Amino acid sequence: MHDSFKRLLEASNNLSQEEIARRIDESPQTLTNWKKRGVSKAGSLKAAAEFGCSANWILSGVGESSGSDVSRVAGWDSSTQLESDEVEVPFYKDVLVSCGSGSLGEIINTETRKLRLSTSTLRRYGVDPANALALTAFGNSMSPVINDGATVYVDIGRKNVIDGKIYAICHGGLFKFKYLYRMPMGGIRIVSANSDEYKEEVLTQQEIIDQEFEVVAYAFNVQNSLP
């Protein structure tokens, strides 16, 4: 296996080849080629943006695995001065979004705290700062992509489903993070990363209405807690 592909696996927390391909919008065959010849520059840039690491490190192993453009996360209060390239993101730390069986909760308008996020990160993901907020995940249905206690940044302005992307959803009053896929006739497929323990669900258009299914936001960045 080529060294640059090994570094890509490390950057993606050793996700499967199929999962990496899905996350960075490449075909599994492309990743097979990377195993033999190394990751392309374009591929390294896409992977770096998706997994929050340095493209140069993926390609050559030079430098730190964390890139200088990775989102910076820090607590914020009224006495903290923002840097010129930072914005304030509402952080609903106590509104838990399930990565398991679900948690009854409600995203309220009264924010209790904020996080700081670099404008370069928001530009990279095409997120309007006014639509960005952070939520706390719990449970293990999306592990290892989203671990228990992770801070997940979401875009509440992006609700159109792109197959294989992660969204915050409300399903029967329960907030969850899940992979979503569009199905024929207006249906939706709901998939967990930990598929061994959490089986996928498929809802028809009528079941979407009956079960009060709603896409709340697109999850564009994950900050997993350190062990």
Side-chain angles (χ1 to χ4, degrees):
M1 185 184 299
H2 199 280
D3 287 345
S4 62
F5 191 82
K6 291 180 180 178
R7 286 188 287 271
L8 174 57
L9 288 176
E10 293 175 14
S12 62
N13 291 321
N14 290 306
L15 296 177
S16 69
Q17 182 169 318
E18 292 74 16
E19 183 59 35
I20 296 173
R22 180 194 303 170
R23 292 279 297 275
I24 64 175
D25 296 323
E26 293 284 0
S27 69
Q29 182 58 50
T30 295
L31 268 67
T32 296
N33 295 338
W34 288 353
K35 291 171 74 172
K36 299 175 181 177
R37 298 189 289 270
V39 182
S40 68
K41 183 176 181 180
S44 70
L45 290 171
K46 292 172 68 175
E50 177 66 26
F51 299 117
C53 61
S54 165
N56 187 50
W57 174 76
I58 292 176
L59 286 171
S60 65
V62 176
E64 300 294 330
S65 60
S66 297
S68 60
D69 62 342
V70 172
S71 59
R72 288 178 287 165
V73 181
W76 179 95
D77 58 34
S78 58
S79 64
T80 304
Q81 184 176 357
L82 294 173
E83 299 293 337
S84 60
D85 65 341
E86 292 178 327
V87 294
E88 305 160 8
V89 176
F91 181 29
Y92 298 96
K93 183 176 178 61
D94 297 324
V95 178
L96 300 178
V97 182
S98 173
C99 285
S101 59
S103 171
L104 183 61
E106 182 177 9
I107 299 178
I108 58 177
N109 293 325
T110 304
E111 61 207 33
T112 58
R113 66 193 79 193
K114 296 177 184 285
L115 294 178
R116 296 184 295 175
L117 199 61
S118 67
T119 55
S120 61
T121 296
L122 294 175
R123 285 195 302 269
R124 187 171 71 213
Y125 293 106
V127 179
D128 184 333
N131 291 331
L133 56 88
L135 301 168
T136 302
F138 80 96
N140 67 345
S141 78
M142 290 299 289
S143 178
V145 181
I146 302 177
N147 294 331
D148 185 33
T151 298
V152 184
Y153 293 90
V154 301
D155 180 357
I156 60 175
R158 197 180 310 179
K159 300 182 181 182
N160 292 330
V161 173
I162 298 175
D163 289 348
K165 297 298 184 180
I166 299 174
Y167 294 84
I169 63 173
C170 184
H171 188 187
L174 305 180
F175 286 103
K176 307 176 183 180
F177 286 116
K178 297 292 179 182
Y179 289 116
L180 296 183
Y181 297 84
R182 294 167 297 175
M183 299 295 288
M185 308 297 292
I188 198 77
R189 179 177 166 224
I190 308 168
V191 179
S192 300
N194 183 3
S195 58
D196 290 340
E197 294 185 44
Y198 299 88
K199 303 305 180 184
E200 69 176 56
E201 300 176 76
V202 177
L203 304 182
T204 65
Q205 187 176 49
Q206 186 59 48
E207 287 172 332
I208 288 174
I209 298 172
D210 294 342
Q211 298 183 26
E212 299 181 344
F213 173 89
E214 178 187 2
V215 178
V216 176
Y218 166 64
F220 67 89
N221 200 330
V222 178
Q223 297 288 332
N224 280 313
S225 302
L226 294 175

